[in-house]
Structure formats: C-alpha cells, structure tokens
Amino acid sequence: MTIIVTGGAGFIGSNFIFHLHSAHPEDRIVCIDKLTYAGNLSTLQSVIGAPNFRFCKLDICDRAGVEALFEQERPDIVVNFAAESHVDRSIEDPGVFLRTNIMGVSVLLDACRKYGVSRFHQVSTDEVYGDLPLDRPDLFFTEQTPIHASSPYSASKASADLLVLAYCRTYGLPATISRCSNNYGPYHFPEKLIPLMIVNCLHDRPLPVYGEGLNVRDWLYVEDHCRAIDLIIRRGRVGEVYNVGGHNEMRNIDIVKLICQKLGKPESLITHVADRKGHDLRYAIDPEKIHKELGWLPETKFEDGIQRTIDWYLANRPWWEEIISGEYQNYYETMYGNRERLE
Ligand code: NAD
Ligand code: DAU
C-alpha cells in the first residue's frame, strides 16, 4: 500500500511516520511537507534513504503540484497532518491558517476524488468543540458535541472537518476524521507549553504561564495518538469521526511545576503573564467510541510519558538548540517581549 502523509516533518506527523515504518514495513510512505518554520527535515533522518520512504517538499495548497504527485504515486491512503497548528500564532495572524488548514484541505480532497483513494483521513483536534467549564468535571466532548470553535486556529480546523464530511456525503469520498486532545512527546516544537517550559527551564529563563494557569488540557503521549490514527485508517468506518484522548486532565500550572521539579529548577522561575485572548478553559475527551469500536486505549501513563519526553529533550539538545537559535528568537520576542507580567 502507498500512504501519503502530509505534514510529516512536524511533531505528530513525524512520529506517525516512525510508527508506520516500524509497524508496517510493507507499506510505502510518501511524506509531503512545505517545511514551514514548524517542519524540520532533520527530524526524518532515520527514515530518509529507506527504500519504502520518499520525501517531497510541497505545499498542500499547490494544486498542480499535489495532482502531479498523486499521478505519480497513486496513493491508497492519504493522512493529513499538514496544518498551521499554534493557537497563539493564529490570534496574531489568522490568514495563513485559513489558507493551509482550509484551502489546503480542499486541494487534497479534490486530488483524493480524482485519483480514487481508498481512504482520506483528516487529523483534527478537540479544539473544534470549543471549551468546557472548569466547574463541571462531569462534562466531556463526545462526537455529538456541537462544533463551537474559539480561535482562528480551531475555526479553520472546524471548517476543514465540515468540508471533509461534505465531500464524504456529496461525492462518496471514503473519509474519516480523528479529533485528538493535546499531544506531548519527542519532536514537539518548543513554542508549545511542554517543550517551551522544558527549554526555558534548561536555560533558567522565566516560565510564562498565561493568567493563573488554571486552564485544563487532556494530555496524550504522541505514540498513543499515532496508534489511534493507524487503527482508524485501516479499520475505522467511513464517514465517521473518532475522538481520541486518554482521560488525563491537568492544569497548566501543575504541569509547569512538575517540569520544574523534574529538572531541579525553582518554581520562582514561574512568571504569570497576560492571558491568551479567548483562552479555552478546559478540554476533556470522551474516547468511548474508539475504545468500543477499535479496541484503542492509551498505553503510556503521564508519569512515564513526561519523563520520557524530558529525557528526550535532554538527549537531543542539537535538535531544539538549532530551532531556538534562528527565527524562533524573533517569534519569542514578539509573543513574550511586551507581554504584561501579572505579579
Ligand atoms: P506541527 O506544527 O508540529 O507540524 C505541522 C507540519 O505541517 C509541519 O511540518 C509544517 O511544515 C507542515 N505544513 C504546514 N503548512 C503546510 C502546507 N501548506 N503544506 C504542506 N505542509 C505544511 O503540528 P502538529 O502538532 O504535529 O500537528 C499536526 C496535526 O495534528 C495538525 O493538523 C493539528 O491540527 C493536529 N493536532 C495537533 C495536536 C497537538 O497537540 N499538537 C492535537 C490534536 C490535533
Ligand atoms: O487540544 C489540541 C490542541 O492542543 C491542538 O489542536 C493544537 O495544535 C495544539 O497546539 C494544542 O493547543 P493548545 O493551545 O492547548 O496548546 P499550547 O501548548 O499552545 O497551550 C497549552 C496550554 O498552556 C494553554 O492553556 C495555553 C497555556 N500556555 C501556553 C504557552 C505556549 C501558557 O500558559 N504559556 C505558554 O507560553
């Protein structure tokens, strides 16, 4: 089988390629990635050169380029990870989110129709459901929860989900969607909470917690997400949405304190700063459907996953040092330089 993986030089896409490469060595993997600031070809060095792997630098919005690649490769399955993925960036500049996350998906859907793939899978997010109140721990997102996006990022992902479902119904495109909670693990770009706090701790820099840090996220180790997607593309029902999450809700402030403790750094590094605009309060996934239909369960406990993640960042300094030495410095200054301190 030939599987096109878009966005495979990013965090989850690269982990998915490693998963496929070891779990299904019989499959051919073709990675499409534009290599934006978030894509890093060095991440894929362990598979580049493998006979069943091809990398193609390509923008998913490039209709002619995408069609030419489909013509050559005649993929059986397409898994779309390619996206602008950072909420804070979407608040500063929504345009590129609409382009890649909506128009790019429409280009992929058209190519999938034209070349008759047996499955298109859209990697979506729990953020399309909006948020849940902090004082209702009994509430969870199910696949029936209405779409209620808060940020330009989540609105763009929600739009893509609607397009995918429309292509499925109107044209009979065999598509599936997964909506996962927050991932963590190796190769996570250091603009996101967990790797940012690890990297800042290692440099004894302030740890910028938005507001009081009471917002809750439902953290899942990236390999568990990759296994879920692999199950869905092979055994999931066409036209269905599957929520993916591990019932591992944590407050941001508790995550940051845990990272300080594990790295032997003082909590005095924690700096409360102005809150994110429109900040979602709590995400919490009900993963019952994927568990019942496909037998999926998370395998990595948070205590183990966070230790593994910290160890990975300690052992792979060149990977993230190169990132933070470049354009990232301008990004950091823009996002955090003038951000109001709350204490
Ligand atoms: P990421 O930002 O680390 O990686 C995105 C990748 O897409 C990068 O390699 C980038 O170069 C590539 N890309 C961006 N625009 C492109 C374009 N126009 N054409 C081709 N490639 C392009 O993101 P991630 O955290 O790995 O997220 C992957 C997917 O999973 C996204 O669709 C995201 O919405 C979804 N998701 C992420 C999480 C999470 O916690 N990180 C949770 C649920 C869902
Ligand atoms: O829920 C899935 C989503 O998880 C994915 O769809 C997104 O692509 C992914 O980026 C992630 O979105 P979040 O906004 O939840 O992740 P982020 O790491 O940016 O922030 C996690 C929480 O930490 C959030 O409540 C904001 C807070 N935060 C974040 C940063 C970067 C801080 O307090 N300080 C920070 O510096």
Side-chain angles (χ1 to χ4, degrees):
M1 231 171 19
T2 294
I3 305 180
I4 287 186
V5 178
T6 69
F11 166 45
I12 310 177
S14 60
N15 278 282
F16 183 69
I17 287 173
F18 302 145
H19 166 85
L20 279 185
H21 193 63
S22 79
H24 305 282
E26 70 285 3
D27 289 338
R28 172 170 167 75
I29 305 165
V30 178
C31 172
I32 297 180
D33 201 296
K34 185 183 176 185
L35 298 179
T36 67
Y37 78 93
N40 193 337
L41 201 49
S42 78
T43 299
L44 294 172
Q45 70 187 28
S46 64
V47 289
I48 284 174
N52 63 341
F53 179 79
R54 174 182 175 193
F55 178 80
C56 188
K57 184 173 186 303
L58 186 62
D59 183 340
I60 60 166
C61 301
D62 173 358
R63 194 171 281 276
V66 167
E67 283 202 7
L69 187 78
F70 275 56
E71 176 72 35
Q72 275 174 16
E73 293 290 346
R74 302 282 171 159
D76 300 284
I77 297 179
V78 176
V79 186
N80 180 36
F81 292 90
E84 290 293 333
S85 67
H86 192 33
V87 173
D88 291 330
R89 288 184 190 253
S90 83
I91 294 167
E92 292 304 309
D93 184 11
V96 68
F97 285 74
L98 310 189
R99 181 181 181 276
T100 291
N101 299 2
I102 306 175
M103 296 312 295
V105 171
S106 82
V107 167
L108 292 174
L109 289 169
D110 286 337
C112 286
R113 269 186 77 203
K114 181 167 177 185
Y115 289 92
V117 302
S118 60
R119 182 64 63 91
F120 173 80
H121 182 75
Q122 171 69 1
V123 181
S124 185
T125 167
D126 60 358
E127 297 201 15
V128 301
Y129 297 123
D131 62 354
L132 296 164
L134 292 175
D135 61 355
R136 289 293 306 274
D138 55 313
L139 296 180
F140 297 92
F141 298 135
T142 73
E143 290 80 0
Q144 276 70 49
T145 303
I147 298 266
H148 200 264
S150 312
S151 69
Y153 161 71
S154 51
S156 69
K157 294 295 289 185
S159 306
D161 284 13
L162 295 176
L163 259 184
V164 172
L165 295 173
Y167 270 62
C168 198
R169 170 150 177 173
T170 304
Y171 304 117
L173 186 79
T176 39
I177 296 174
S178 51
R179 295 183 179 146
C180 190
S181 60
N182 286 62
N183 285 214
Y184 68 101
Y187 301 108
H188 204 179
F189 195 87
E191 66 189 348
K192 309 284 170 56
L193 180 78
I194 288 182
L196 184 140
M197 296 301 164
I198 295 173
V199 165
N200 280 18
C201 261
L202 291 173
H203 288 107
D204 297 305
R205 281 201 207 119
L207 308 175
V209 170
Y210 297 165
E212 290 183 73
L214 302 180
N215 304 59
V216 170
R217 297 293 183 263
D218 180 359
W219 293 95
L220 183 73
Y221 195 62
V222 63
E223 276 174 28
D224 283 324
H225 185 192
C226 293
R227 277 192 308 104
I229 294 171
D230 193 13
L231 279 173
I232 296 168
I233 61 177
R234 288 163 208 272
R235 295 185 14 224
R237 286 183 297 134
V238 163
E240 293 293 318
V241 173
Y242 292 89
N243 281 356
V244 184
H247 281 306
N248 182 56
E249 290 175 51
M250 295 186 70
R251 301 186 313 177
N252 296 338
I253 188 71
D254 297 327
I255 300 248
V256 178
K257 285 182 176 171
L258 182 69
I259 292 171
C260 286
Q261 182 220 314
K262 289 200 171 283
L263 287 171
K265 300 292 177 176
E267 288 183 8
S268 56
L269 285 175
I270 295 175
T271 310
H272 291 273
V273 297
D275 211 346
R276 175 182 280 175
K277 292 190 182 92
H279 199 170
D280 280 336
L281 294 172
R282 169 178 169 248
Y283 303 146
I285 281 281
D286 175 355
E288 197 55 22
K289 178 173 172 179
I290 188 168
H291 173 54
K292 279 205 172 126
E293 282 191 23
L294 304 177
W296 178 87
L297 277 177
E299 287 177 0
T300 305
K301 288 198 215 107
F302 188 75
E303 310 88 90
D304 301 333
I306 194 71
Q307 189 60 56
R308 242 192 269 171
T309 303
I310 290 174
D311 291 345
W312 187 88
Y313 280 85
L314 287 170
N316 291 276
R317 289 185 86 113
W319 183 85
W320 55 264
E321 275 173 350
E322 191 175 333
I323 291 172
I324 65 169
S325 68
E327 177 55 27
Y328 180 86
Q329 287 185 13
N330 297 336
Y331 163 80
Y332 202 86
E333 187 50 35
T334 308
M335 288 296 192
Y336 297 95
N338 295 319
R339 205 166 186 128
E340 184 199 352
R341 291 186 173 216
L342 299 180
E343 7 163 83

